[in-house]
Every structure is written in C-alpha cells, then in structure tokens.
Amino acid sequence: MAEGRVLFVGRHPGALAWAARRGIVAEPVAHLDPAEVGPGDRVVGTLPVHVAAAIVARGARYTHLVLDLPADARGRDLDPDEMERFGARLEDFAVVPATTPRTEPDDAAENGRAGRGRLGAGLATLGGVFLLGAAALVTSWFASALEALAGALWPQGLEIPPEAGFGEALGLRAVDLVTPRLDAASGAHAADALLALVFLVITYLGLFVLGRRVLRTRIGVSLASARRARRAVVMALSALPPPSLDRLATTAGARLDAVCAVDDAAPWGRFAWQQNLRALRHHLVGGRTVRVEVLVSRESAPQLDAFAALAGRLAAETGARLEIRQAGAPLDFADYQDVEAAVASAIAQLAKDGFAFGDICIDTTAGTKVVSIASAVITMNKDLEFSYVTEQGRVWLFDARLPIAWRGE
C-alpha cells in the first residue's frame, strides 16, 4: 500500500456518504489489515482499540469517527443527516497498549526460561528450609549460652530470703546484679553468647530478605500467533440454552472462520461454544490429530456429542482431526476442589497416553470463573501453558511461574 494514502474503513453507505459530503478524500476499505499501513498513512474509521493501536505502532495516523449516539440509534445504519444530528466528527487518537505483550522467540528459549524458573524456585525453597533450620539451632544455642553465662556470673543464684521486706529484697537484688563474678569462665561464656547473637541476627536477617525480596509471582504473556500449536487441549464446555442449540443447524456449510467471527448478524448469532472453537482453531494444523479433553457440567454433558460433531466438521476443513473425549464425570463448575482435581486428572491421563507437558494447553475461557481460576493455577511452575480467548476472538497464551526474582525485575 502506497505511503501517504488516506483510507476510510467502513461498510456503511451512510458513513461513506457523510465523508463525501464533508469533502473527505479517502479510499473506502471494507476491511483493513494493520500490516498493510505504514508511516505517513492515515486511517479513518471506527476500529477496535487493539487494531487502532497496531496502526499507530506502525507509524500511521489513526482518526476516529466519533458519534454521540443515543441508545435507540445503536445497531442500525445511519444516513448522513442522522450522523450530523448525532454530532459526527473526526478526532485523531494516539492509541498505545497499557502493557506490551512479550513474545517468545522459539521453544528453546521457552524451555530455557522454564528451566531457570524451576531452578530458581528450587533454590529458594532450599534456602528457606536451610535458614529456618539454622534459625532454630542458633536460637537454641543463644538460649543455652545465656543460661551458661548467667550461671557463671552469679553461681549462687539470685535467691532472696523469704523474710526480707520489699525494700530489703530490692536492695539485695541490686547488690547481686552489680557484683557478678568476672573470671575466665564467665568471659568465655560471654563470648559464646555474643557469637550466638551475631549468628542469630544474620539468620533472621536472611529470612527477612528471602521473604521480602524473592519468591514473587511472575506471569509471562505471549500472543498465540508467536507460539507453536499444541497436540492436546483441556477445556470446559458450557451448556447452550435451547435457542442457541437450535440455531447450530444454521452453521451447516459455513467455514470455521465465519463461525468463529464476532458477528451478531450471523444466522447463528453469538453462542458460548464459539470461544471453544476459537481456542481450538490455533492448534489446528493440517494432517494433525488434536486430542481434546473436555470438562462437562451436568447441564452440558448431554450436549458433548453435538459440540464434537460441530468442532470436528469445522476442523476437517483445515485437514486436522479432533479426538474429543469427556474428562471424567460431570462436574459442579462452582466447586473449586472438584474442578482442580478434574483438570489434574485430565493432564495425568494425557501424560499417561504419551503427551509431554509441552504438548498440552489448558484453555481457561469456557465454563465459570471458578473453572478459569482452577485451570490457570494448576499450570503454575510447570511446562504447561493456559490460554484465554477475548470477546473479540483473540487467543492469548500465558506461562505462569514462581521463580526467584528480585523486587523490581
């Protein structure tokens, strides 16, 4: 695409007519790939935030078509007069992501990071155990040294005659305290107690530093497009309400990308299983069989065959094949312990069947929030990634680890 072009992204005739009325000279584009723009280009439209950010990142200028729409005007085409009435105007925006995704260059780097994470976590654990044990021993040593020192300084003890009054007792105690026995034995015990105190301070300082400066959670984030496809996926399946289930028949003959698209106007509308299909789409590689372990609830268990038929038909167009299995008995998706145990059992079954952890991806999108949390937590400090699909259909892969990491890194 030539540098310096002005592109108007949109499919609505009213918006194009409004732009022409305003004297905006631009090339109409129904769909824009951010990779096609460059420095000097100007893009006009109502694009999603992440697409606008990608355009700005490539050095192009993004101009947003702003409309102050009331609720009853949303979801329908507007003519130029209506757009004027709703305050249509163009405003430039510099859109940048709050955080920059970190991509992994290759599996070698990924495995190296995983090894360093395991080594760091192991060293931290060993260091903590050593320091706790040392603290117990040094505390006992210090107490014994103090007891021996007191015995050497006051061999007769600090006994006070029972018949002594308060004033007399206080005087006797003061005299005894200020007249300890100072000799070689008491000096040796004093040196021993001082040495124990030094080690005690060092040990507890080490525990303090370990607790405050290491063992913080670090989660690495990467775009799905930067990672290789996995040979096995563990995911949950939510139940579809009857209207959505009935509309699945309208997907007959539709392609995978069309069914996965975020399009409210599609005959099938939006339905929960789209997120499952979007997650699986990343792993569909021609000629490969992808194993899918599906966690089901009591409500979604009877619908598993329908999901398997839909997913299998759509996967076939890529040349891949899905081997979909139910992972254990139906679950209560609100029971954390049961969900965590089911995910662990599915992973163990895959490992038993010859899949390495690096071959498995745990999808956390479908099901309840409890399912998402349990599925993500179980991947911590393992060579397991978990995925999440956004409402816009983008797949994110996460690698959660708990390595030694100094604060601020």
Side-chain angles (χ1 to χ4, degrees):
M1 187 173 291
E3 185 174 334
R5 299 176 70 181
V6 179
L7 307 172
F8 193 102
V9 184
R11 294 174 294 178
H12 302 293
L16 296 174
W18 175 85
R21 176 187 293 184
R22 286 293 192 93
I24 299 171
V25 180
E27 176 184 347
V29 179
H31 174 77
L32 177 69
D33 183 351
E36 297 177 353
V37 302
D41 291 331
R42 181 187 183 189
V43 178
V44 181
T46 56
L47 301 179
V49 173
H50 67 284
V51 177
I55 290 170
V56 173
R58 294 184 63 82
R61 174 183 171 192
Y62 175 64
T63 303
H64 195 73
L65 173 57
V66 181
L67 286 164
D68 301 320
L69 291 177
D72 59 356
R74 298 183 182 276
R76 64 181 179 84
D77 288 341
L78 304 175
D79 60 38
D81 292 333
E82 289 177 309
M83 292 180 64
E84 292 287 358
R85 189 164 67 251
F86 296 138
R89 59 196 182 277
L90 298 180
E91 295 183 10
D92 285 347
F93 286 87
V95 186
V96 294
T99 57
T100 303
R102 179 170 60 86
T103 58
E104 305 297 334
D106 52 36
D107 288 333
E110 176 183 336
N111 294 334
R113 189 187 71 256
R116 290 191 296 273
R118 288 194 301 271
L119 177 62
L123 289 175
T125 302
L126 288 176
V129 171
F130 172 79
L131 287 175
L132 285 173
L137 291 175
V138 173
T139 301
S140 176
W141 173 23
F142 182 60
S144 299
L146 285 181
E147 183 180 3
L149 176 60
L153 292 175
W154 299 284
Q156 304 302 322
L158 298 174
E159 295 293 336
I160 298 175
E163 65 274 9
F166 176 76
E168 184 182 1
L170 186 60
L172 289 172
R173 176 63 62 86
V175 170
D176 287 339
L177 287 176
V178 298
T179 56
R181 176 182 293 180
L182 300 177
D183 54 19
S186 61
H189 288 304
D192 189 39
L194 181 60
L195 183 62
L197 178 62
V198 171
F199 275 95
L200 188 66
V201 170
I202 292 174
T203 302
Y204 279 96
L205 183 61
L207 285 172
F208 174 79
V209 171
L210 184 70
R212 289 294 298 268
R213 302 205 62 179
V214 301
L215 292 177
R216 68 173 177 83
T217 304
R218 172 184 293 164
I219 298 181
V221 184
S222 59
L223 285 171
S225 60
R227 309 301 287 265
R228 66 180 177 85
R230 297 319 197 218
R231 296 174 49 235
V233 180
V234 179
M235 59 172 46
L237 185 71
S238 297
L240 289 186
S244 295
L245 199 60
D246 293 340
R247 286 198 299 269
L248 288 184
T250 63
T251 64
R255 295 185 63 81
L256 175 62
D257 286 343
V259 177
C260 290
V262 182
D263 185 2
D264 291 325
W268 46 83
R270 294 197 189 192
F271 59 101
W273 292 355
Q274 283 177 308
Q275 298 293 67
N276 298 80
L277 296 174
R278 291 163 182 157
L280 290 174
R281 179 173 54 177
H282 173 66
H283 305 287
L284 297 179
V285 179
R288 168 180 286 182
T289 297
V290 179
R291 170 85 164 269
V292 187
E293 292 285 325
V294 183
L295 308 177
V296 295
S297 64
R298 286 183 286 271
E299 295 77 19
S300 64
Q303 301 177 357
L304 179 59
D305 289 342
F307 170 73
L310 174 65
R313 176 174 61 80
L314 294 173
E317 73 181 52
T318 68
R321 189 174 75 88
L322 294 177
E323 182 183 337
I324 298 178
R325 300 186 183 185
Q326 179 173 319
L331 301 168
D332 176 2
F333 281 172
D335 189 321
Y336 180 90
Q337 299 297 334
D338 281 356
V339 172
E340 185 180 47
V343 176
S345 177
I347 294 170
Q349 182 61 53
L350 289 170
K352 182 179 178 181
D353 292 343
F355 293 90
F357 276 5
D359 295 327
I360 304 170
C361 181
I362 313 298
D363 181 66
T364 65
T365 314
T368 63
K369 290 181 174 62
V370 170
V371 174
S372 297
I373 295 170
S375 300
V377 167
I378 206 167
T379 67
M380 182 71 71
N381 278 354
K382 299 182 178 71
D383 291 333
L384 282 169
E385 290 180 344
F386 68 90
S387 62
Y388 180 79
V389 183
T390 69
E391 286 295 329
Q392 292 73 36
R394 173 167 291 191
V395 180
W396 291 86
L397 295 180
F398 298 84
D399 179 18
R401 298 195 174 274
L402 189 65
I404 286 183
W406 294 100
R407 192 176 298 275
E409 288 187 342

